[in-house]
Amino acid sequence: MKLLDTLYYKILLIRKFEELLFSLFEKGKLSGTTHTYIGQEATGVSLIENLGPNDIVISNHRCHGHYLSKTGDVVGLLSEILGKKNGVCKGRGGSQHLYSKGFYSNGVQGNMFPVSAGIALAEKWKNSSNLTVIFIGDGTLGEGIIYETLNMISLYKIPILIVVENNQYAQSTPIKDNFAGKIIDRLAGFSIRVEENETTDAEFLYHRYKKLIKSIKLLNEPRIDIIHNERLGPHSKGDDERSSEILNKIKEKDPITVLKKKIDLITQEKIEKEISILLSKALDKVNKMENSFNLY
Amino acid sequence: MRYLESLNLALDQIMSDNQNAVIIGEDIKDPYGGAFKVTKGLSSKYGHRVISSPISESSIVGLGIGLSLNGFKPIVEIMFGDFITLCADQIINGASKFPWMYGSNFDLPMIIRTPMGGRRGYGPTHSQTLESLFFNIPNIKIISPSIFHDPGQILKDTFYKMKELNLFIENKISYPNEIILKEQVDDYNISIINNNTEFVTLSLVFDRQTRPDIVLLTYGGMSNICFEVARDLFIEEEIIIEIIIPSLVKPVPFSDFHESIISCGKLVIVEEGISICGWGSMITSNLNDELFDSLKAKPVIVGSKEFPIASSRKLEDKILPQKSDIKKAILKIL
C-alpha cells in the first residue's frame, strides 16, 4: 500500500472501530466507559507508523488508537472492551488498561509517566536502539508527577519521545479554564528540546516524525513534541456540552477530511469497504466467543 | 552485628552478584550514604546502578516499576516510611495491578525499602507505622525483619524470591541494635517454626516442653519490647510466654503459628501501628474455624492509640504501645 493509503486505512480503522463502540453502547451491549480518539487519530497513526516492532509505546486512558496503530489487533481489543475472556487482557483491563508486547496503557492520569521513563532508562542501559514513546494529554499536565519525572528524564538523559496531545479539553473543561500559561513555556523549563505544531495532517506528521525519531535515536536524548488539535468526540460518552457551531468548526480539521483531499475516490471507497468488512467480521467473531470466567 | 550493617552488607552482596540490581533513593550516594546510612559505600562501588534521586518519591517508585517491567530488579528506598503516602498511586494503581490486570503472567520484581516507627521524637510525619495502608491491596507482599531475624538474609531472600512488589519495612529504632543470631538468648530458645511458608517465622520460648500460658504474636520493632515483657513477666509472675515473630507481615503466615495457637488458646497480638484496622485486626478476623474454636479467650490487640504521633518523647510514649500496655493485656487475658 502507498503511504497515504496506509495512513488513511489506519485512521479510518480507528474511527470506524470507535464509532462501532458508540453504537454498541447505545444498544446496551457495552458496559463501563470508553475514551475515543476521534479527531486526533493522525498523531498516533503517523508516529507509530514510523516505529519498529521492538519500539515501545505507552499510552493513557485514550488508548484505542495507539493500541490499534501499534498492534493492528482489532479482535483482541474489541473482545477486551466487550468483556470477553479471550480479550487481549483476558477481560481484566477493558478499554483503558491494555497490554501487548511493547504496549502499555493505564487509566490514571500521569501514572504511566515515570513508568515510561523507567522503561526507557532500561533500554538505554541495555544499549538498545529501541525507542520508547509516551503519549499524554493536556489534561495530564495538571498532575505533579509529570514535572517530577521530566526533571529526572532530563537529569539522567533518558532517551524518550514525549508526545503531548493537546485536544483542548481536560474531560469537559476547556483548556483556558484549567491551564495557566502556555504548554510549551511550561515544558521548556527542563532543558529538554521541545517543539509544537498545530495540525491534523497525517502526511505532514508522518514525515516530521520520521526525522524526529531518527534524531532521537542518533542523539540518544529525550524530546517533547506538542501537537495541538481538537477532540471531535466527547471525553468519554454522552458528556459533550459543546455547541454544534464549535463542533462544525472542528470537523473542518478532521484528519479524515484532510487526508481525503489527497487520495482518489476509488481508493477511498476500496479502503472504506475493506474496513467495514473487517469490523463486521471481527464483531461476529467476538459475539460468538464463549465467555465463562474462572477467578482462580 | 548491627541491624543496619546486616542490611548494608546484604545490599552490597545483592549488587555485586546481580548486574540487573538497581538501587534508587534520595540522598543515598556517598559520602552521605542515605539518611539512615543503609546504602553507605554502595554508590562508590556500583556507579550508575545506584541512583541518588531528586526528592520525588512517587516518580522514583514509577521509575523502578518501569525498570522492573524492562528486565531490571530495582530496590527503591523511601527515606521515611511516612512518605509512602506520596507513592500510593504508583503502588496501588500501578505495580500491584499490572501483571494481573494486563492478563499476563510476567513478573514485576521490585522492593520498596523504607523505615517505619517512632520512639525517636521525630513527630507526626516521621514516626508512623503505615504498612497497614496496604493490607487490603492484592499482590503486595509486606516483609519486616526483627532483630531476632537476620535482616540482611531476609532482604536477600526477598530479592531472590520476588515476583511481585515487596514492601520491606525496617523499624528505625532497630538500626543501631545488635541482631541476635544465636539460638538462645537469656535462657530463651529461638527456633524457626515455618510450615511451608517462604519467609522465616521465629518462636522464642523459655522451655519447649512446657506449654505456654500465652502466645504473643508480633513483628518488627515491637519484637524486642515483647521479649523484655516476656522476661519480666516470667521473673515477676512466673507467666510462660511464647513469642512468635514472623518476618512476613502480609499475607499472614497463619500455618506457621497454627500449632502454637491451638495448643495454647490464648493470644495477644502486638503491633506498633494504630490497633484499629491494623495487623491484629487482620489476623483475628481471618482465623480459620479450627483456630477460632481453639481460643479460650477473646484475643487482645495492643497497638498505638488513635492519635497522630507527638514530637515530645513523653507525649509520644503515651501514644505508642509500651511494655506496660502489653503486660496489662497479658494479665487481662490470663
Side-chain angles (χ1 to χ4, degrees), chain A residues 22 25-26 32-36 38 61-62 96 167 169-174 231-243 247:
Chain A
F22 279 136
F25 260 119
E26 278 167 22
T33 190
T34 195
H35 306 87
T36 65
I38 294 175
H61 61 298
R62 202 175 297 289
Q96 305 184 76
N167 68 12
Y169 301 93
Q171 183 120 0
S172 68
T173 306
R231 201 181 66 214
L232 199 48
H235 162 70
S236 48
K237 52 184 191 345
D239 55 359
D240 205 339
E241 308 291 336
R242 294 171 297 182
S243 68
L247 285 174

Side-chain angles (χ1 to χ4, degrees), chain A residues 30 34 55 67 70 84 95 114-115 170 181 183 201 254 266 268:
Chain A
L30 219 169
T34 195
D55 292 321
Y67 180 82
K70 169 80 173 142
K84 303 284 186 178
S95 165
V115 177
I183 295 178
D201 183 342
D254 183 338
I266 299 169
Q268 282 179 36

Side-chain angles (χ1 to χ4, degrees), chain A residues 92 105 111 119 123 126 149, chain B residues 59 70 89-90 93 100 102:
Chain A
R92 297 170 182 177
S105 75
N111 174 286
I119 288 173
E123 291 297 328
K126 291 191 238 176
T149 305
Chain B
S59 239
N70 209 353
D89 179 61
Q90 289 299 317
N93 290 319
W100 192 90
Y102 289 145

Side-chain angles (χ1 to χ4, degrees), chain A residues 133-152:
Chain A
V133 180
I134 169 107
F135 289 94
I136 60 171
D138 53 301
T140 315
L141 296 173
E143 299 288 359
I145 199 161
I146 298 296
Y147 308 97
E148 284 187 6
T149 305
L150 283 172
N151 184 41
M152 289 203 289

Side-chain angles (χ1 to χ4, degrees), chain B residues 192-217:
Chain B
I192 295 171
I193 53 163
N194 283 61
N195 189 2
N196 296 322
T197 47
E198 294 175 292
F199 291 90
V200 174
T201 297
L202 295 174
S203 161
L204 274 65
V205 67
F206 191 69
D207 165 8
R208 278 246 155 256
Q209 267 63 53
T210 318
R211 182 194 289 196
D213 301 308
I214 294 277
V215 169
L216 200 55
L217 192 53

Side-chain angles (χ1 to χ4, degrees), chain B residues 49-314:
Chain B
R49 286 196 290 134
V50 178
I51 299 181
S52 200
S53 78
I55 301 178
S56 305
E57 289 80 5
S58 185
S59 239
I60 61 176
V61 170
L63 195 76
I65 296 170
L67 285 165
S68 172
L69 287 172
N70 209 353
F72 287 84
K73 292 193 168 178
I75 302 173
V76 178
E77 174 175 301
I78 298 299
M79 190 189 283
F80 277 81
D82 309 69
F83 310 158
I84 203 94
T85 55
L86 294 159
C87 317
D89 179 61
Q90 289 299 317
I91 294 172
I92 297 173
N93 290 319
S96 77
K97 291 194 172 51
F98 286 153
W100 192 90
M101 116 180 155
Y102 289 145
S104 287
N105 295 320
F106 63 75
D107 293 341
L108 201 153
M110 177 166 171
I111 298 175
I112 299 178
R113 289 183 37 247
T114 193
M116 297 274 187
R119 302 181 206 280
R120 283 184 64 169
Y122 283 157
T125 64
H126 286 65
S127 308
Q128 299 165 93
T129 298
L130 290 182
E131 54 268 28
S132 60
L133 293 177
F134 302 97
F135 282 171
N136 63 4
I137 307 300
N139 305 324
I140 297 178
K141 249 183 211 150
I142 303 176
I143 295 144
S144 180
S146 73
I147 61 158
F148 299 98
H149 295 93
D150 181 342
Q153 187 56 48
I154 303 282
L155 183 58
K156 282 188 269 182
D157 288 349
T158 308
F159 184 86
Y160 286 110
K161 287 174 182 168
M162 63 184 180
K163 292 188 164 161
E164 70 273 91
L165 177 64
N166 293 270
L167 294 185
F168 193 90
I169 310 297
E170 299 157 9
N171 195 285
K172 65 173 83 75
I173 53 158
S174 296
Y175 283 139
N177 290 347
E178 285 292 320
I179 54 174
I180 317 274
L181 294 179
K182 297 173 287 189
E183 285 173 6
Q184 228 184 10
V185 55
D186 294 355
D187 293 332
Y188 275 76
N189 294 305
I190 304 177
S191 53
I192 295 171
I193 53 163
N194 283 61
N195 189 2
N196 296 322
T197 47
E198 294 175 292
F199 291 90
V200 174
T201 297
L202 295 174
S203 161
L204 274 65
V205 67
F206 191 69
D207 165 8
R208 278 246 155 256
Q209 267 63 53
T210 318
R211 182 194 289 196
D213 301 308
I214 294 277
V215 169
L216 200 55
L217 192 53
T218 190
Y219 74 91
M222 289 308 296
S223 308
N224 17 336
I225 297 172
C226 284
F227 180 64
E228 286 173 28
V229 169
R231 239 178 9 193
D232 291 356
L233 284 180
F234 180 71
I235 295 165
E236 293 161 13
E237 314 268 348
E238 291 189 0
I239 298 170
I240 299 174
I241 296 171
E242 178 182 8
I243 308 170
I244 295 177
I245 316 171
S247 54
L248 181 61
V249 176
K250 176 211 174 244
V252 178
F254 282 102
S255 64
D256 292 351
F257 45 81
H258 186 93
E259 280 309 313
S260 295
I261 294 180
I262 295 229
S263 66
C264 173
K266 290 186 176 176
L267 177 64
V268 174
I269 303 174
V270 182
E271 61 190 307
E272 189 174 328
I274 289 175
S275 56
I276 291 176
C277 296
W279 192 61
S281 306
M282 173 162 68
I283 291 170
T284 51
S285 59
N286 286 294
L287 294 172
N288 65 22
D289 291 349
E290 198 185 344
L291 284 175
F292 187 81
D293 291 343
S294 74
L295 293 178
K296 294 176 186 146
K298 184 184 164 196
V300 181
I301 301 169
V302 181
S304 281
K305 298 183 185 70
E306 269 188 285
F307 284 89
I309 296 168
S311 293
S312 157
R313 280 289 291 116
K314 273 199 162 166

